Amino acid sequence: MTAARLQRLRQVLEFRQPDLTIVTDNVHKSRNLSAIVRTADAAGIATMYCAMADKDYKAFNGTAMGSHSWVSVQRRADVSAALGPLKAQGYQVLAAHLATDSVDYREVDYTRPTVVLLGAEKLGVSDAGCKMADIHITIPMRGMVQSYNVSVAAGIILAEAERQRQIAGLYSQRRLDDETYNRILFEWAQPKVSEYCRDHGLAYPPLAEDGELVDGLVWQNAVRDGKAPRFNG
């Protein structure tokens, strides 16, 4: 872990937006999902949700090629299971869906806690997703085609979200709480150690300012002897 690398990790975490997320509604193509994850990372999204069957999600995981390293992608069985808890927390749900009541995507306030709901290219957002949405948004089309690729639409919408949040100063100060910040920093700085800890139910050991373990040898000996602290979360 070089000093420059650690500084980059810290800088990215400073920009993370805990109240901005994406929910994909039965978007199955792995290349589209991977592109959406990369776009989410660029906009400062820390966690997004995929409403899809478990077998499809496993296939996506197998082709993600590192996309999950920077954004936590969580599967939900259906769109209701994904949106319900977020709406209960006060998020507005913006469904990218052309309807009689749709508004231009630039007319909504993205500085509020926001879910961007995206559907598959041919089918769009499901009826269940549309019913749970607070606002239907659309991207104006000037050509013959009727819609953008879903990953392109994600990029266009999140660019507007980033613009509004930048103006509002939401990228100017760290917004992650200390516990979340330190957990993610450890996982990014020490991916192999964090994976080992998760697999064995161990608490993460302390991380030094240089990104290395504090008393790493002592911790390894404690693990060997079965005395390392357990994860109690």
Side-chain angles (χ1 to χ4, degrees), residues 187-198:
E187 292 170 353
W188 288 2
Q190 296 288 339
K192 292 183 179 179
V193 175
S194 61
E195 182 179 8
Y196 181 89
C197 289
R198 291 194 298 271

Side-chain angles (χ1 to χ4, degrees), residues 33-59:
L33 284 173
S34 292
I36 292 170
V37 173
R38 291 193 295 272
T39 301
D41 172 53
I45 290 175
T47 304
M48 60 171 281
Y49 304 86
C50 295
M52 62 195 309
D54 186 54
K55 62 179 179 64
D56 295 322
Y57 184 68
K58 288 179 179 178

Side-chain angles (χ1 to χ4, degrees), residues 191-212:
K192 292 183 179 179
V193 175
S194 61
E195 182 179 8
Y196 181 89
C197 289
R198 291 194 298 271
D199 289 344
H200 293 82
L202 299 175
Y204 291 162
L207 194 68
E209 286 297 318
D210 62 359
E212 300 299 330

Side-chain angles (χ1 to χ4, degrees), residues 2-15 188:
T2 65
R5 177 67 168 177
L6 183 61
Q7 176 59 28
R8 176 60 176 164
L9 297 181
R10 292 185 182 277
Q11 182 183 51
V12 169
L13 282 176
E14 294 286 336
F15 293 143
W188 288 2

